[in-house]
Protein backbone atom coordinates (compact mmCIF):
# COMPACT_ATOMS: atom_id res chain seq x y z
CA UNK A 1 0.00 0.00 0.00
CA UNK A 2 2.81 2.43 0.92
CA UNK A 3 4.60 1.64 -2.36
CA UNK A 4 1.43 2.31 -4.37
CA UNK A 5 0.95 5.62 -2.52
CA UNK A 6 4.56 6.67 -3.25
CA UNK A 7 4.19 5.66 -6.91
CA UNK A 8 1.13 7.89 -7.22
CA UNK A 9 2.91 10.73 -5.42
CA UNK A 10 5.90 10.48 -7.77
CA UNK A 11 3.72 10.27 -10.89
CA UNK A 12 4.22 6.57 -11.50
CA UNK A 13 1.46 4.17 -12.44
CA UNK A 14 0.97 0.48 -12.93
CA UNK A 15 1.52 -0.76 -16.47
CA UNK A 16 -1.77 -0.88 -18.30
CA UNK A 17 -3.16 2.22 -16.62
CA UNK A 18 -3.24 5.78 -17.85
CA UNK A 19 -1.28 8.66 -16.42
CA UNK A 20 2.39 9.01 -15.48
CA UNK A 21 5.30 6.80 -16.40
CA UNK A 22 4.71 3.12 -15.62
CA UNK A 23 7.06 0.96 -13.61
CA UNK A 24 8.64 -1.52 -16.03
CA UNK A 25 10.08 -3.95 -13.53
CA UNK A 26 13.65 -4.78 -12.62
CA UNK A 27 15.80 -6.78 -15.02
CA UNK A 28 16.91 -10.11 -13.56
CA UNK A 29 19.32 -12.40 -15.37
CA UNK A 30 18.80 -16.00 -14.29
CA UNK A 31 21.68 -18.40 -15.05
CA UNK A 32 21.25 -21.97 -16.37
CA UNK A 33 22.14 -23.39 -12.95
CA UNK A 34 18.95 -21.80 -11.59
CA UNK A 35 16.39 -22.01 -14.40
CA UNK A 36 17.45 -25.52 -15.53
CA UNK A 37 16.39 -25.27 -19.19
CA UNK A 38 17.53 -28.26 -21.26
CA UNK A 39 19.31 -26.89 -24.39
CA UNK A 40 18.33 -30.08 -26.24
CA UNK A 41 14.70 -28.91 -26.23
CA UNK A 42 15.58 -25.71 -28.13
CA UNK A 43 14.86 -25.74 -31.87
CA UNK A 44 18.14 -25.48 -33.76
CA UNK A 45 16.69 -23.08 -36.36
CA UNK A 46 15.44 -20.68 -33.70
CA UNK A 47 18.87 -20.78 -32.03
CA UNK A 48 20.49 -20.04 -35.42
CA UNK A 49 18.25 -16.98 -35.91
CA UNK A 50 19.26 -15.65 -32.49
CA UNK A 51 22.95 -16.32 -33.18
CA UNK A 52 22.80 -14.55 -36.58
CA UNK A 53 21.19 -11.45 -35.06
CA UNK A 54 23.72 -11.34 -32.21
CA UNK A 55 26.65 -11.71 -34.62
CA UNK A 56 25.29 -8.67 -36.47
CA UNK A 57 25.45 -6.65 -33.24
CA UNK A 58 21.79 -6.84 -32.16
CA UNK A 59 20.13 -8.15 -29.03
CA UNK A 60 18.06 -11.27 -29.65
CA UNK A 61 16.19 -13.82 -27.51
CA UNK A 62 13.70 -16.65 -27.76
CA UNK A 63 10.59 -15.20 -26.15
CA UNK A 64 7.07 -15.88 -24.91
CA UNK A 65 5.36 -19.24 -24.57
CA UNK A 66 8.42 -21.13 -25.80
CA UNK A 67 10.43 -19.93 -22.77
CA UNK A 68 7.57 -20.86 -20.45
CA UNK A 69 7.40 -24.38 -21.89
CA UNK A 70 11.17 -24.81 -21.75
CA UNK A 71 11.14 -23.88 -18.06
CA UNK A 72 8.47 -26.53 -17.48
CA UNK A 73 10.50 -29.18 -19.30
CA UNK A 74 8.17 -29.25 -22.32
CA UNK A 75 9.22 -29.18 -25.97
CA UNK A 76 7.61 -26.07 -27.52
CA UNK A 77 5.74 -26.43 -30.79
CA UNK A 78 6.57 -22.88 -31.92
CA UNK A 79 9.55 -20.64 -31.33
CA UNK A 80 9.35 -16.85 -31.53
CA UNK A 81 12.32 -14.47 -31.40
CA UNK A 82 12.41 -10.86 -30.14
CA UNK A 83 15.15 -8.40 -31.02
CA UNK A 84 16.03 -4.71 -31.04
CA UNK A 85 16.63 -4.89 -34.82
CA UNK A 86 13.94 -3.31 -37.00
CA UNK A 87 12.00 -5.50 -39.46
CA UNK A 88 14.05 -4.11 -42.35
CA UNK A 89 17.31 -4.91 -40.56
CA UNK A 90 16.12 -8.45 -39.76
CA UNK A 91 15.03 -9.04 -43.36
CA UNK A 92 18.44 -8.00 -44.63
CA UNK A 93 20.20 -10.73 -42.60
CA UNK A 94 18.29 -13.72 -43.99
CA UNK A 95 17.89 -15.03 -47.50
CA UNK A 96 14.26 -16.09 -47.07
CA UNK A 97 12.57 -13.53 -44.82
CA UNK A 98 9.25 -11.70 -45.30
CA UNK A 99 7.78 -8.68 -43.50
CA UNK A 100 4.09 -9.14 -42.67
CA UNK A 101 1.43 -7.52 -40.48
CA UNK A 102 -0.60 -4.31 -40.24
CA UNK A 103 -1.12 -3.57 -36.56
CA UNK A 104 2.46 -4.55 -35.82
CA UNK A 105 5.02 -5.51 -38.45
CA UNK A 106 6.96 -8.74 -37.88
CA UNK A 107 9.33 -10.86 -39.97
CA UNK A 108 8.88 -14.51 -40.94
CA UNK A 109 12.24 -16.23 -41.40
CA UNK A 110 11.63 -19.41 -43.40
CA UNK A 111 13.78 -22.54 -43.06
CA UNK A 112 13.39 -25.52 -45.39
CA UNK A 113 10.89 -26.06 -48.20
CA UNK A 114 7.62 -27.85 -48.80
CA UNK A 115 6.00 -29.65 -45.90
CA UNK A 116 9.26 -29.72 -43.97
CA UNK A 117 9.60 -25.94 -43.82
CA UNK A 118 9.46 -24.05 -40.53
CA UNK A 119 8.78 -20.38 -39.86
CA UNK A 120 10.55 -18.52 -37.06
CA UNK A 121 8.62 -15.36 -36.21
CA UNK A 122 10.87 -12.41 -35.37
CA UNK A 123 9.42 -9.28 -33.74
CA UNK A 124 11.05 -6.01 -32.78
CA UNK A 125 10.90 -4.88 -29.14
CA UNK A 126 7.81 -2.70 -28.76
CA UNK A 127 7.54 0.52 -26.79
CA UNK A 128 5.04 0.88 -23.98
CA UNK A 129 2.48 3.51 -25.02
CA UNK A 130 -0.06 5.30 -22.89
CA UNK A 131 -3.31 4.42 -24.65
CA UNK A 132 -5.04 7.41 -23.05
CA UNK A 133 -2.88 9.58 -25.32
CA UNK A 134 -3.59 7.56 -28.49
CA UNK A 135 -5.58 8.86 -31.41
CA UNK A 136 -9.16 7.57 -31.34
CA UNK A 137 -11.25 6.41 -34.29
CA UNK A 138 -14.98 5.84 -34.25
CA UNK A 139 -15.00 2.62 -36.23
CA UNK A 140 -12.84 -0.50 -36.49
CA UNK A 141 -10.06 -1.84 -38.72
CA UNK A 142 -12.32 -2.00 -41.77
CA UNK A 143 -14.52 1.06 -41.41
CA UNK A 144 -11.62 3.36 -40.44
CA UNK A 145 -8.96 1.91 -42.74
CA UNK A 146 -8.18 5.24 -44.46
CA UNK A 147 -7.83 7.09 -41.16
CA UNK A 148 -5.64 4.37 -39.62
CA UNK A 149 -3.21 4.31 -42.53
CA UNK A 150 -1.47 7.46 -41.29
CA UNK A 151 -1.50 6.62 -37.56
CA UNK A 152 1.13 4.84 -35.47
CA UNK A 153 -0.92 4.67 -32.27
CA UNK A 154 -4.71 4.43 -32.35
CA UNK A 155 -7.57 2.95 -30.34
CA UNK A 156 -11.28 2.54 -31.02
CA UNK A 157 -14.10 3.92 -28.87
CA UNK A 158 -13.91 0.99 -26.45
CA UNK A 159 -10.17 1.44 -25.88
CA UNK A 160 -9.10 -1.53 -28.03
CA UNK A 161 -5.69 -0.90 -29.59
CA UNK A 162 -5.80 -0.83 -33.40
CA UNK A 163 -2.31 0.48 -34.18
CA UNK A 164 0.90 0.57 -32.13
CA UNK A 165 3.81 0.42 -34.55
CA UNK A 166 6.40 1.98 -32.23
CA UNK A 167 9.71 0.29 -31.32
CA UNK A 168 11.19 0.51 -27.85
CA UNK A 169 13.56 -1.04 -25.26
CA UNK A 170 13.29 -4.58 -23.90
CA UNK A 171 11.84 -3.62 -20.48
CA UNK A 172 8.92 -1.84 -22.18
CA UNK A 173 8.42 -4.79 -24.51
CA UNK A 174 8.15 -7.10 -21.49
CA UNK A 175 5.55 -4.82 -19.88
CA UNK A 176 3.37 -4.97 -23.00
CA UNK A 177 3.09 -8.78 -22.85
CA UNK A 178 0.11 -10.44 -21.18
CA UNK A 179 1.02 -12.95 -18.46
CA UNK A 180 4.22 -12.88 -16.44
CA UNK A 181 5.10 -16.46 -17.45
CA UNK A 182 4.95 -15.35 -21.11
CA UNK A 183 7.16 -12.28 -20.60
CA UNK A 184 10.57 -13.94 -20.19
CA UNK A 185 13.48 -13.98 -22.67
CA UNK A 186 15.94 -16.83 -23.22
CA UNK A 187 19.33 -16.46 -24.89
CA UNK A 188 20.34 -19.89 -26.25
CA UNK A 189 23.91 -18.63 -26.78
CA UNK A 190 24.63 -17.51 -23.19
CA UNK A 191 21.79 -19.66 -21.77
CA UNK A 192 20.51 -16.91 -19.47
CA UNK A 193 16.84 -16.09 -18.88
CA UNK A 194 15.90 -12.40 -18.61
CA UNK A 195 12.91 -11.77 -16.33
CA UNK A 196 11.29 -8.39 -15.52
CA UNK A 197 8.00 -9.37 -13.82
CA UNK A 198 8.73 -12.36 -11.57
CA UNK A 199 7.67 -14.78 -14.30
CA UNK A 200 10.05 -17.48 -13.09
CA UNK A 201 8.61 -17.17 -9.60
CA UNK A 202 5.02 -17.44 -10.93
CA UNK A 203 6.01 -20.46 -13.03
CA UNK A 204 7.23 -22.21 -9.89
CA UNK A 205 4.01 -21.25 -8.08
CA UNK A 206 2.02 -22.44 -11.14
CA UNK A 207 0.17 -19.14 -11.37
CA UNK A 208 -1.08 -17.27 -14.43
CA UNK A 209 -0.91 -13.58 -13.51
CA UNK A 210 -1.65 -10.67 -15.84
CA UNK A 211 0.95 -7.89 -16.02
CA UNK A 212 -0.62 -4.61 -14.92
CA UNK A 213 -4.30 -3.97 -14.27
CA UNK A 214 -6.22 -6.97 -15.75
CA UNK A 215 -9.40 -5.08 -16.67
CA UNK A 216 -7.38 -2.46 -18.56
CA UNK A 217 -5.28 -5.08 -20.33
CA UNK A 218 -8.41 -6.95 -21.47
CA UNK A 219 -9.85 -3.70 -22.78
CA UNK A 220 -6.67 -2.97 -24.77
CA UNK A 221 -6.94 -6.34 -26.51
CA UNK A 222 -10.07 -8.38 -25.69
CA UNK A 223 -8.56 -11.47 -27.31
CA UNK A 224 -6.45 -11.72 -24.13
CA UNK A 225 -9.65 -13.03 -22.50
CA UNK A 226 -9.58 -16.05 -24.83
CA UNK A 227 -5.83 -16.45 -24.41
CA UNK A 228 -6.31 -16.60 -20.64
CA UNK A 229 -8.71 -19.52 -21.06
CA UNK A 230 -6.41 -21.25 -23.55
CA UNK A 231 -3.32 -21.00 -21.33
CA UNK A 232 -5.29 -22.16 -18.29
CA UNK A 233 -6.57 -25.18 -20.23
CA UNK A 234 -3.14 -26.07 -21.60
CA UNK A 235 -1.38 -25.78 -18.25
CA UNK A 236 -4.13 -27.11 -15.97
CA UNK A 237 -2.77 -30.71 -16.15
CA UNK A 238 0.45 -29.30 -14.62
CA UNK A 239 -1.49 -27.65 -11.81
CA UNK A 240 -1.63 -24.06 -13.18
CA UNK A 241 -4.57 -21.76 -12.52
CA UNK A 242 -5.41 -18.10 -13.16
CA UNK A 243 -4.84 -15.94 -10.10
CA UNK A 244 -7.93 -14.35 -8.54
CA UNK A 245 -7.22 -10.75 -9.65
CA UNK A 246 -6.64 -11.78 -13.26
CA UNK A 247 -9.74 -14.01 -13.33
CA UNK A 248 -12.16 -11.57 -11.65
CA UNK A 249 -12.80 -9.24 -14.67
CA UNK A 250 -13.02 -12.03 -17.28
CA UNK A 251 -16.80 -12.51 -17.35
CA UNK A 252 -17.57 -8.78 -17.24
CA UNK A 253 -15.03 -8.12 -20.01
CA UNK A 254 -16.62 -10.64 -22.40
CA UNK A 255 -18.81 -7.92 -23.93
CA UNK A 256 -15.63 -6.34 -25.36
CA UNK A 257 -15.26 -9.32 -27.71
CA UNK A 258 -18.16 -7.97 -29.79
CA UNK A 259 -15.77 -5.32 -31.15
CA UNK A 260 -13.21 -7.88 -32.38
CA UNK A 261 -13.46 -8.75 -36.12
CA UNK A 262 -15.42 -11.97 -36.69
CA UNK A 263 -12.62 -13.53 -38.71
CA UNK A 264 -10.20 -13.14 -35.79
CA UNK A 265 -12.78 -14.48 -33.33
CA UNK A 266 -13.34 -17.51 -35.55
CA UNK A 267 -9.59 -18.21 -35.61
CA UNK A 268 -9.32 -17.84 -31.84
CA UNK A 269 -12.24 -20.20 -31.35
CA UNK A 270 -10.46 -22.83 -33.46
CA UNK A 271 -7.31 -22.40 -31.35
CA UNK A 272 -9.34 -23.19 -28.24
CA UNK A 273 -10.62 -26.42 -29.78
CA UNK A 274 -7.68 -27.55 -31.90
CA UNK A 275 -4.53 -27.11 -29.85
CA UNK A 276 -4.78 -30.48 -28.10
CA UNK A 277 -6.68 -29.29 -25.01
CA UNK A 278 -10.31 -29.12 -26.19
CA UNK A 279 -11.76 -31.09 -23.27
CA UNK A 280 -9.72 -29.06 -20.75
CA UNK A 281 -10.86 -25.84 -22.49
CA UNK A 282 -14.52 -26.79 -22.07
CA UNK A 283 -13.87 -27.47 -18.39
CA UNK A 284 -12.15 -24.10 -17.94
CA UNK A 285 -14.95 -22.18 -19.67
CA UNK A 286 -17.49 -23.75 -17.34
CA UNK A 287 -15.31 -23.26 -14.28
CA UNK A 288 -14.80 -19.56 -15.07
CA UNK A 289 -18.49 -18.97 -15.82
CA UNK A 290 -17.77 -18.34 -19.52
CA UNK A 291 -19.61 -21.24 -21.16
CA UNK A 292 -21.69 -18.74 -23.16
CA UNK A 293 -21.04 -15.39 -24.77
CA UNK A 294 -17.56 -15.67 -26.31
CA UNK A 295 -18.58 -16.81 -29.80
CA UNK A 296 -21.89 -18.35 -30.97
CA UNK A 297 -20.33 -21.45 -32.53
CA UNK A 298 -18.21 -22.02 -29.43
CA UNK A 299 -21.39 -21.82 -27.36
CA UNK A 300 -22.80 -24.73 -29.38
CA UNK A 301 -19.61 -26.77 -28.89
CA UNK A 302 -19.68 -26.22 -25.12
CA UNK A 303 -23.39 -27.00 -24.93
CA UNK A 304 -22.95 -30.31 -26.80
CA UNK A 305 -19.58 -31.30 -25.34
CA UNK A 306 -21.16 -33.95 -23.12
CA UNK A 307 -23.16 -35.63 -25.90
CA UNK A 308 -21.56 -38.92 -27.00
CA UNK A 309 -20.79 -37.91 -30.59
CA UNK A 310 -19.34 -34.44 -29.94
CA UNK A 311 -17.38 -35.65 -26.92
CA UNK A 312 -15.89 -38.45 -29.03
CA UNK A 313 -14.90 -35.86 -31.67
CA UNK A 314 -13.24 -33.59 -29.08
CA UNK A 315 -11.34 -36.49 -27.51
CA UNK A 316 -10.23 -37.70 -30.94
CA UNK A 317 -9.04 -34.19 -31.88
CA UNK A 318 -6.98 -33.92 -28.69
CA UNK A 319 -5.46 -37.33 -29.38
CA UNK A 320 -4.48 -36.48 -32.95
CA UNK A 321 -2.89 -33.16 -31.96
CA UNK A 322 -0.89 -34.76 -29.16
CA UNK A 323 0.31 -37.48 -31.55
CA UNK A 324 1.51 -34.82 -34.00
CA UNK A 325 -1.17 -35.66 -36.58
CA UNK A 326 -2.94 -32.94 -38.59
CA UNK A 327 -6.47 -31.84 -37.75
CA UNK A 328 -8.92 -29.95 -39.96
CA UNK A 329 -11.41 -27.40 -38.59
CA UNK A 330 -13.99 -28.63 -41.09
CA UNK A 331 -14.05 -32.07 -39.48
CA UNK A 332 -14.54 -30.91 -35.91
CA UNK A 333 -17.17 -28.32 -36.85
CA UNK A 334 -18.97 -30.93 -38.96
CA UNK A 335 -19.16 -33.08 -35.83
CA UNK A 336 -20.40 -30.21 -33.65
CA UNK A 337 -23.16 -29.27 -36.13
CA UNK A 338 -24.13 -32.78 -37.27
CA UNK A 339 -27.13 -32.86 -34.91
CA UNK A 340 -28.56 -29.76 -36.62
CA UNK A 341 -28.01 -31.22 -40.09
CA UNK A 342 -29.49 -34.60 -39.19
CA UNK A 343 -32.60 -33.10 -37.57
CA UNK A 344 -33.20 -30.71 -40.46
CA UNK A 345 -32.74 -33.55 -42.93
CA UNK A 346 -35.21 -35.80 -41.09
CA UNK A 347 -37.83 -33.04 -40.98
CA UNK A 348 -37.65 -32.72 -44.74
CA UNK A 349 -37.79 -36.48 -45.28
CA UNK A 350 -40.93 -36.56 -43.16
CA UNK A 351 -42.37 -34.06 -45.62
CA UNK A 352 -41.71 -36.59 -48.42
CA UNK A 353 -38.87 -34.57 -49.98
CA UNK A 354 -36.27 -36.40 -52.08
CA UNK A 355 -33.34 -37.46 -49.80
CA UNK A 356 -30.44 -35.68 -51.51
CA UNK A 357 -32.11 -32.27 -52.09
CA UNK A 358 -33.49 -32.53 -48.55
CA UNK A 359 -29.97 -33.04 -47.16
CA UNK A 360 -28.58 -30.14 -49.21
CA UNK A 361 -31.33 -27.83 -47.96
CA UNK A 362 -30.67 -28.85 -44.36
CA UNK A 363 -26.95 -28.13 -44.81
CA UNK A 364 -27.63 -24.69 -46.31
CA UNK A 365 -29.89 -23.85 -43.38
CA UNK A 366 -27.18 -24.82 -40.87
CA UNK A 367 -24.53 -22.75 -42.66
CA UNK A 368 -26.75 -19.66 -42.62
CA UNK A 369 -27.72 -20.13 -38.98
CA UNK A 370 -24.46 -21.27 -37.39
CA UNK A 371 -21.42 -20.32 -39.51
CA UNK A 372 -22.29 -16.86 -40.80
CA UNK A 373 -19.93 -14.79 -42.91
CA UNK A 374 -16.35 -15.52 -41.83
CA UNK A 375 -13.07 -15.52 -43.67
CA UNK A 376 -12.49 -18.80 -45.46
CA UNK A 377 -16.09 -19.98 -45.17
CA UNK A 378 -16.14 -21.09 -48.81
CA UNK A 379 -13.45 -23.77 -48.43
CA UNK A 380 -14.62 -24.66 -44.94
CA UNK A 381 -18.23 -25.05 -46.07
CA UNK A 382 -17.24 -27.16 -49.09
CA UNK A 383 -15.27 -29.60 -46.92
CA UNK A 384 -18.04 -29.86 -44.33
CA UNK A 385 -20.66 -30.41 -47.02
CA UNK A 386 -18.64 -33.26 -48.55
CA UNK A 387 -18.33 -34.97 -45.18
CA UNK A 388 -22.08 -34.77 -44.54
CA UNK A 389 -23.19 -35.75 -48.06
CA UNK A 390 -21.00 -38.86 -47.92
CA UNK A 391 -22.83 -40.28 -44.90
CA UNK A 392 -25.90 -41.74 -46.68
CA UNK A 393 -23.65 -42.97 -49.50
CA UNK A 394 -21.77 -45.24 -47.09
CA UNK A 395 -24.95 -47.32 -46.92
CA UNK A 396 -24.62 -48.13 -50.65
CA UNK A 397 -22.08 -50.92 -51.05
CA UNK A 398 -23.06 -52.32 -54.45
CA UNK A 399 -22.32 -51.25 -58.00
CA UNK A 400 -19.70 -48.57 -58.65
CA UNK A 401 -20.47 -46.47 -55.56
CA UNK A 402 -17.73 -47.90 -53.27
CA UNK A 403 -15.03 -47.48 -55.93
CA UNK A 404 -16.04 -43.87 -56.59
CA UNK A 405 -16.19 -43.10 -52.87
CA UNK A 406 -12.62 -44.19 -52.05
CA UNK A 407 -11.30 -42.04 -54.91
CA UNK A 408 -12.73 -38.81 -53.48
CA UNK A 409 -10.17 -36.42 -51.92
CA UNK A 410 -12.27 -36.04 -48.75
CA UNK A 411 -13.04 -39.75 -48.39
CA UNK A 412 -10.84 -40.23 -45.35
CA UNK A 413 -12.50 -37.35 -43.50
CA UNK A 414 -15.94 -38.71 -44.41
CA UNK A 415 -14.95 -42.20 -43.27
CA UNK A 416 -13.49 -40.95 -39.98
CA UNK A 417 -16.77 -39.11 -39.41
CA UNK A 418 -18.75 -42.29 -40.04
CA UNK A 419 -16.31 -44.22 -37.84
CA UNK A 420 -17.12 -41.89 -34.93
CA UNK A 421 -20.84 -42.37 -35.60
CA UNK A 422 -20.30 -46.13 -35.34
CA UNK A 423 -18.35 -45.72 -32.10
CA UNK A 424 -21.36 -44.06 -30.44
CA UNK A 425 -23.89 -46.50 -31.92
CA UNK A 426 -25.40 -44.18 -34.53
CA UNK A 427 -24.57 -46.58 -37.39
CA UNK A 428 -23.81 -50.31 -37.47
CA UNK A 429 -20.26 -51.21 -36.41
CA UNK A 430 -20.14 -53.79 -39.22
CA UNK A 431 -20.61 -51.01 -41.77
CA UNK A 432 -17.55 -49.13 -40.49
CA UNK A 433 -15.49 -52.34 -40.49
CA UNK A 434 -16.55 -53.13 -44.08
CA UNK A 435 -15.37 -49.72 -45.30
CA UNK A 436 -12.18 -50.00 -43.25
CA UNK A 437 -11.37 -53.23 -45.09
CA UNK A 438 -12.50 -52.02 -48.51
CA UNK A 439 -10.35 -48.88 -48.63
CA UNK A 440 -7.11 -50.81 -48.01
CA UNK A 441 -7.96 -54.09 -49.82
CA UNK A 442 -6.59 -55.33 -53.15
CA UNK A 443 -8.89 -55.99 -56.13
CA UNK A 444 -9.56 -59.63 -55.25
CA UNK A 445 -10.45 -58.80 -51.66
CA UNK A 446 -12.68 -55.94 -52.81
CA UNK A 447 -14.61 -58.35 -55.04
CA UNK A 448 -15.16 -60.60 -52.02
CA UNK A 449 -16.36 -57.66 -49.95
CA UNK A 450 -18.76 -56.59 -52.71
CA UNK A 451 -20.18 -60.13 -52.87
CA UNK A 452 -20.56 -60.09 -49.09
CA UNK A 453 -22.47 -56.78 -49.28
CA UNK A 454 -24.79 -58.19 -51.97
CA UNK A 455 -25.56 -61.27 -49.87
CA UNK A 456 -26.30 -59.10 -46.86
CA UNK A 457 -28.62 -56.97 -48.97
CA UNK A 458 -30.52 -60.05 -50.20
CA UNK A 459 -30.81 -61.35 -46.65
CA UNK A 460 -32.25 -58.07 -45.47
CA UNK A 461 -34.77 -58.04 -48.31
CA UNK A 462 -35.89 -61.59 -47.49
CA UNK A 463 -36.17 -60.73 -43.80
CA UNK A 464 -38.49 -57.84 -44.50
CA UNK A 465 -42.16 -58.76 -43.86
CA UNK A 466 -44.36 -59.15 -46.93
CA UNK A 467 -47.07 -56.52 -46.92
CA UNK A 468 -50.32 -57.80 -48.40
CA UNK A 469 -52.62 -55.25 -49.89
CA UNK A 470 -56.14 -55.22 -48.44
CA UNK A 471 -58.84 -54.97 -51.16
CA UNK A 472 -60.44 -51.60 -51.17
CA UNK A 473 -64.16 -51.19 -50.57
CA UNK A 474 -66.41 -51.04 -53.59
CA UNK A 475 -66.10 -47.62 -55.23
CA UNK A 476 -68.90 -45.22 -54.60
CA UNK A 477 -71.13 -44.46 -57.54
CA UNK A 478 -70.39 -41.36 -59.54
CA UNK A 479 -72.94 -38.58 -58.92
CA UNK A 480 -73.85 -38.86 -62.60
CA UNK A 481 -74.60 -42.55 -62.17
CA UNK A 482 -71.29 -43.82 -63.65
CA UNK A 483 -69.15 -46.26 -61.60
CA UNK A 484 -65.52 -45.34 -60.80
CA UNK A 485 -62.77 -47.32 -62.45
CA UNK A 486 -61.52 -50.06 -60.12
CA UNK A 487 -58.01 -49.60 -58.84
CA UNK A 488 -55.56 -50.99 -56.25
CA UNK A 489 -54.29 -47.51 -55.45
CA UNK A 490 -54.95 -43.88 -56.14
CA UNK A 491 -55.72 -43.03 -59.74
CA UNK A 492 -53.10 -41.08 -61.68
CA UNK A 493 -54.86 -37.81 -61.00
CA UNK A 494 -55.56 -38.60 -57.33
CA UNK A 495 -53.35 -37.64 -54.41
CA UNK A 496 -52.27 -40.01 -51.62
CA UNK A 497 -52.72 -37.18 -49.13
CA UNK A 498 -55.75 -34.92 -48.74
CA UNK A 499 -55.12 -31.47 -50.14
CA UNK A 500 -55.01 -28.50 -47.82
CA UNK A 501 -58.38 -27.14 -46.79
CA UNK A 502 -60.12 -30.53 -47.29
CA UNK A 503 -60.77 -29.96 -51.00
CA UNK A 504 -62.27 -33.02 -52.76
CA UNK A 505 -59.92 -35.29 -54.66
CA UNK A 506 -59.69 -34.79 -58.39
CA UNK A 507 -61.32 -37.75 -60.13
CA UNK A 508 -60.21 -39.04 -63.50
CA UNK A 509 -62.81 -39.86 -66.11
CA UNK A 510 -62.87 -43.38 -67.51
CA UNK A 511 -61.55 -43.78 -71.05
CA UNK A 512 -63.87 -45.65 -73.40
CA UNK A 513 -62.51 -48.72 -75.16
CA UNK A 514 -62.10 -48.57 -78.93
CA UNK A 515 -65.32 -49.67 -80.64
CA UNK A 516 -67.32 -49.45 -83.85
CA UNK A 517 -66.72 -50.89 -87.28
CA UNK A 518 -63.92 -48.49 -88.01
CA UNK A 519 -62.07 -49.46 -84.85
CA UNK A 520 -61.65 -45.79 -83.96
CA UNK A 521 -61.26 -44.73 -80.35
CA UNK A 522 -64.33 -43.09 -78.93
CA UNK A 523 -67.13 -41.81 -81.09
CA UNK A 524 -69.76 -39.23 -81.27
CA UNK A 525 -71.05 -40.14 -77.87
CA UNK A 526 -67.68 -40.56 -76.16
CA UNK A 527 -66.94 -38.39 -73.14
CA UNK A 528 -64.01 -35.98 -73.63
CA UNK A 529 -60.67 -37.12 -72.20
CA UNK A 530 -59.59 -35.67 -68.87
CA UNK A 531 -57.24 -32.69 -69.00
CA UNK A 532 -53.66 -33.71 -69.38
CA UNK A 533 -54.32 -37.04 -71.10
Amino acid sequence: MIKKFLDKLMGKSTPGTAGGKPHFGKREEVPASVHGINPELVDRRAADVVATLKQAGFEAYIVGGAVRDLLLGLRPKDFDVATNATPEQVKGLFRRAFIIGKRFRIVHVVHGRGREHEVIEVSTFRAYLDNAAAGQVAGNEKTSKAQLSGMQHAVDASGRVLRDNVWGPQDEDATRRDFTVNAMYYDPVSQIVVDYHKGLQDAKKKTLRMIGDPATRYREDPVRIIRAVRFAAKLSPLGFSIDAKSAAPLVQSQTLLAEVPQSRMFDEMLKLLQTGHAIATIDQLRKLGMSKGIYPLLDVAVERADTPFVKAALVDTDRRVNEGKPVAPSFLLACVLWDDVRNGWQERLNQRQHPLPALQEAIDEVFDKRIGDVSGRGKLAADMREIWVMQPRFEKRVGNTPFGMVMQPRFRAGFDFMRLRADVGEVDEALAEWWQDFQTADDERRDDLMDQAKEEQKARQKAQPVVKRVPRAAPAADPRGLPRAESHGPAEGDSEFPSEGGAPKKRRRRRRKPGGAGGTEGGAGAAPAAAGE
Side-chain angles (χ1 to χ4, degrees), residues 53-263:
L53 286 163
K54 294 191 71 171
Q55 289 170 5
F58 298 107
E59 296 178 62
Y61 302 85
I62 292 171
V63 69
V67 182
R68 177 200 65 221
D69 290 350
L70 289 170
L71 287 169
L72 298 175
L74 306 175
R75 186 180 295 275
K77 293 182 179 179
D78 300 301
F79 284 83
D80 296 336
V81 171
T83 178
N84 62 347
T86 65
E88 289 77 14
Q89 289 170 329
V90 174
K91 186 176 186 301
L93 294 173
F94 299 94
R95 185 169 59 88
R96 298 180 64 207
F98 308 91
I99 298 176
I100 65 168
K102 292 181 179 179
R103 173 185 167 182
F104 185 78
R105 291 182 299 141
I106 58 177
V107 180
H108 279 178
V109 178
V110 182
H111 291 265
R113 296 184 180 277
R115 293 184 178 180
E116 301 301 320
H117 85 285
E118 181 176 351
V119 174
I120 305 298
E121 189 172 285
V122 183
S123 61
T124 304
F125 294 149
R126 295 176 292 175
Y128 173 82
L129 301 175
D130 183 359
N131 293 320
Q136 189 176 94
V137 297
N140 54 35
E141 293 92 327
K142 290 184 178 180
T143 59
S144 303
K145 188 177 294 185
Q147 187 179 357
L148 287 170
S149 63
M151 303 175 70
Q152 281 192 318
H153 188 201
V155 297
D156 65 10
S158 68
R160 182 169 64 96
V161 178
L162 303 180
R163 288 285 187 276
D164 55 357
N165 279 311
V166 180
W167 319 133
Q170 187 184 33
D171 60 344
E172 295 189 19
D173 183 78
T175 299
R176 291 177 53 100
R177 298 184 180 272
D178 45 27
F179 292 97
T180 59
V181 294
N182 294 337
M184 292 178 282
Y185 304 78
Y186 174 64
D187 181 351
V189 178
S190 66
Q191 296 189 19
I192 65 165
V193 168
V194 177
D195 185 7
Y196 288 92
H197 296 283
K198 306 296 182 183
L200 189 60
Q201 180 177 315
D202 285 342
K204 290 180 178 179
K205 292 193 300 183
K206 298 182 178 180
T207 297
L208 290 170
R209 179 170 57 88
M210 182 67 68
I211 298 172
D213 175 59
T216 303
R217 303 308 304 280
Y218 296 143
R219 186 166 59 251
E220 291 172 352
D221 186 359
V223 170
R224 287 178 178 142
I225 298 167
I226 302 176
R227 286 166 61 85
V229 176
R230 180 151 53 88
F231 292 143
K234 177 180 178 178
L235 299 174
S236 60
L238 300 176
F240 275 75
S241 61
I242 305 174
D243 85 310
K245 290 184 179 179
S246 299
L250 283 172
V251 174
Q252 186 178 359
S253 300
Q254 274 186 232
T255 55
L256 298 169
L257 292 169
E259 302 299 324
V260 179
Q262 288 297 294
S263 57

Side-chain angles (χ1 to χ4, degrees), residues 358-387:
L359 178 56
Q360 297 284 15
E361 280 187 19
I363 292 171
D364 289 339
E365 182 180 61
V366 170
F367 284 151
D368 292 338
K369 181 180 178 181
R370 298 295 195 187
I371 301 294
D373 184 18
V374 296
S375 177
R377 169 179 163 173
K379 176 66 167 61
L380 182 81
D383 291 346
M384 293 170 68
R385 186 184 296 273
E386 282 192 65
I387 290 171

